[in-house]
Amino acid sequence: MPPRPVARARARACALAALTATALLATGQPASAAPEPAAAEPMNRAFADAAREYGVPRDLLAAVGYGESRLDGHAGTPSQANGYGVMHLTSNPANRSLEKASELTGESAARLRRDTTANILGGAAVLRDHADALGLDGAERRDVNAWYPAVARYSAADGPASVLYADAVFASLAEGVAARTPGGEEVLVPSRPVSPDKGALSAAAVDARSTDYPSARWMPAAAGNFAAGRTAAVDKVVVHVTQGSYAGSISWFQNPASQVSAHYTIRSSDGEITQSVREKDTAYHARSANASSLGIEHEGYVDNPAWFTDALYRSSAALTAHLCAKYDIPKDRAHIVGHSEVPGNDHTDPGGHWDWNRYMELVGGAPGGGGDGLTFASYTLQQSGSTGPQVKAVQQLLNDQGYAAGAVDGSFGPATKSAVQAFQRARSLVADGQVGSKTWTALLSAGTTPSLARGGSGDAVRRLQRALTAALGTTVSVDGGFGPATETAVRGYQSGRGLTVDGVVGPATWAALQAGR
């Protein structure tokens, strides 16, 4: 069994400290021939102390933490699988490593979730517990290669997914790690030759290939985590971030309790792709867009750009370009969208660190909107000094409505600001010269006000859809057709503005939109 819980270990440490002080008084020399530097940085110290406490190779422990979190504990916020901290101690029906770590160390679950030192200690305890269950003796525990099955068990995945996880850890050991923590501390794992003893796991089938996208692996999600077939034509690609590791996310899709999945998942380090749901089937990844979209998960966390590597961008863009060609999806930001841009979702991925301009360039599409210069998946603040396609949209809308914004050149200068202020005064908006959500809503909805309802179509519907996107802060597809999704968006807008909620755009709803409400 692993060493005693932390409370007893601390008592032992106090006794050793007293003996050390006595030795120093008697001899003037340290009791140990090779003391550790007193100023060791906190995460390096945590890995060293936890490795010593539980007899886990320090570099193996650090490699597991790097693979799980890039050594970022995310201030105690949970992953998609309800995992916490640098070591991703998890509490869900299939993986109770958080509770096991608490039992083994004597630390509370709350401390293990938020305190990095405790979290690393808990990870070491769980790894050692797996090693003991596998019967590793002292000599084997000193050989990093013997830990492969214990690392696979740490993933709480089955078969191929557990192999994928352990392989990634041992790849980090082979290649070495040089990572910086959010606090700026450098953690190093030197490269070394590895020859892991995989045991029964060597026979696990990890080479099954996708029939939809042959360069991808095939590891199917649990049957209850997606729906067979589709109820709508595929017309968009949704970009996600896993909020967890590559193998861990694939395993989560295989867990019947998760009730989530995606069609594809892409690994950060090398761009490897695994498919979990066939394209003909409906993955559970984006609520209102499930039936009409393909979901691509990207390994990482929204608050840490280190995960978004060149290999990940290029691999994902090649996949998205392939899907756009296969399903005749326009390569623009109205049809290649983030999870956060899908109506009815409360997620923030892919987040502010995702480089949409770079991604769309790699896909071979337009970085801005839907080709008309006015359609965007979201409308962001434009002000003096802003540049780009959304400034051009502001200038075009102002000029079309008789406000002299100057040349439509994508540069927000004095003429554009003056025109914005004039428009704002005419709409009784705060005349600050900045185009935020209210001014965007008023600009995009300006024009004729025909009554619109489900079944309608045309340019007025497109104006409505753009204005709703700006007003609600979520993407309403601009296709000129007043369908169920547009009606849902209208009802949401009406409800939020105290209007009659009937899903019909009449004089009151138009007036609210054109006033920037």
Side-chain angles (χ1 to χ4, degrees):
M1 290 299 294
R4 61 186 64 77
V6 154
R8 293 165 61 193
R10 285 174 178 159
R12 181 185 65 184
C14 290
L16 286 172
L19 288 172
T20 299
T22 301
L24 283 167
L25 286 170
T27 66
Q29 297 296 324
S32 168
E36 290 188 7
E41 293 180 289
M43 193 173 294
N44 280 294
R45 185 168 62 246
F47 278 124
D49 289 349
R52 183 168 51 250
E53 179 71 25
Y54 284 98
V56 180
R58 179 267 182 196
D59 289 352
L60 178 79
L61 188 62
V64 170
Y66 178 77
E68 288 282 16
S69 67
R70 292 298 190 268
L71 309 183
D72 185 345
H74 305 285
T77 56
S79 71
Q80 178 178 221
N82 208 40
Y84 296 86
V86 167
M87 300 304 294
H88 196 244
L89 296 175
T90 303
S91 179
N92 67 51
N95 184 355
R96 310 291 289 182
S97 62
L98 177 67
E99 289 78 7
K100 174 59 73 173
S102 181
E103 174 191 333
L104 294 170
T105 64
E107 296 282 8
S108 69
R111 182 170 165 79
L112 288 164
R113 285 194 293 265
R114 294 189 172 276
D115 184 87
T116 294
T117 297
N119 187 270
I120 291 172
L121 190 75
V126 173
L127 276 166
R128 174 62 186 274
D129 189 61
H130 289 313
D132 286 344
L134 289 162
L136 269 64
D137 61 25
E140 289 170 323
R141 291 198 305 272
R142 288 189 291 273
D143 178 7
V144 72
N145 293 303
W147 283 84
Y148 186 96
V151 171
R153 288 194 179 189
Y154 189 89
S155 72
D158 294 322
S162 71
V163 170
L164 212 58
Y165 179 92
D167 281 351
V169 171
F170 276 77
S172 291
L173 287 170
E175 297 166 6
V177 171
R180 287 205 175 272
T181 70
E185 179 181 351
E186 186 174 42
V187 177
L188 300 175
V189 174
S191 62
R192 86 244 7 248
V194 294
S195 182
D197 180 4
K198 296 187 177 184
L201 291 171
S202 61
V206 296
D207 292 324
R209 311 309 294 183
S210 161
T211 56
D212 289 333
Y213 194 63
S215 62
R217 296 180 186 270
W218 170 244
M219 292 188 187
N225 291 345
F226 66 94
R230 287 186 180 271
T231 59
V234 173
D235 65 2
K236 65 181 70 67
V237 174
V238 180
V239 173
H240 300 264
V241 173
T242 58
Q243 294 297 97
S245 71
Y246 174 67
S249 298
I250 294 164
S251 174
W252 188 230
F253 298 155
Q254 294 177 326
N255 182 342
S258 76
Q259 295 292 291
V260 295
S261 60
H263 293 91
Y264 294 96
T265 304
I266 301 181
R267 187 158 66 190
S268 169
S269 61
D270 58 3
E272 180 182 86
I273 303 174
T274 290
Q275 184 178 11
S276 297
V277 177
R278 298 292 187 199
E279 292 168 11
K280 65 181 178 61
D281 294 328
T282 303
Y284 297 157
H285 66 103
R287 293 185 183 176
S288 64
N290 284 342
S292 60
S293 67
L294 293 156
I296 304 177
E297 289 277 5
H298 299 81
E299 182 184 25
Y301 288 81
V302 296
D303 61 353
N304 187 342
W307 293 91
F308 302 151
T309 62
D310 182 68
L312 178 140
Y313 275 121
R314 291 184 182 279
S315 179
S316 176
L319 172 60
T320 293
H322 166 83
L323 295 173
C324 287
K326 186 174 182 179
Y327 293 94
D328 197 25
I329 300 170
K331 294 179 181 178
D332 59 46
R333 285 284 285 113
H335 297 86
I336 302 171
V337 301
H339 191 181
S340 62
E341 297 168 333
V342 176
N345 285 275
D346 57 2
H347 289 244
T348 62
D349 56 315
H353 294 299
W354 183 262
D355 190 339
W356 276 112
N357 285 341
R358 179 185 183 195
Y359 188 68
M360 294 303 296
E361 181 180 358
L362 290 169
V363 169
D372 56 18
L374 300 177
T375 300
F376 298 86
S378 62
Y379 292 88
T380 58
L381 177 67
Q382 305 300 314
Q383 57 190 331
S384 294
S386 296
T387 59
Q390 292 204 8
V391 175
K392 284 187 176 182
V394 169
Q395 293 166 330
Q396 179 182 329
L397 289 164
L398 288 166
N399 285 336
D400 288 348
Q401 293 163 44
Y403 296 90
V408 180
D409 58 5
S411 180
F412 200 122
T416 302
K417 182 176 180 179
S418 294
V420 169
Q421 289 174 316
F423 175 84
Q424 290 170 325
R425 284 191 289 269
R427 296 301 189 278
S428 298
L429 296 167
V430 175
D432 58 6
Q434 298 180 348
V435 184
S437 62
K438 291 183 177 182
T439 303
W440 267 122
T441 302
L443 276 170
L444 291 162
S445 61
T448 60
T449 58
S451 180
L452 299 174
R454 189 164 176 173
S457 62
D459 286 341
V461 175
R462 276 186 279 273
R463 274 194 294 120
L464 168 68
Q465 290 166 331
R466 294 186 196 104
L468 288 169
T469 295
L472 297 173
T474 56
T475 305
V476 178
S477 182
V478 180
D479 56 10
F482 198 125
T486 299
E487 181 178 355
T488 297
V490 169
R491 289 178 178 274
Y493 177 81
Q494 290 171 329
S495 176
R497 274 68 181 175
L499 303 169
T500 300
V501 182
D502 57 7
V504 176
V505 183
T509 302
W510 275 119
L513 288 165
Q514 293 186 347
R517 287 178 58 192

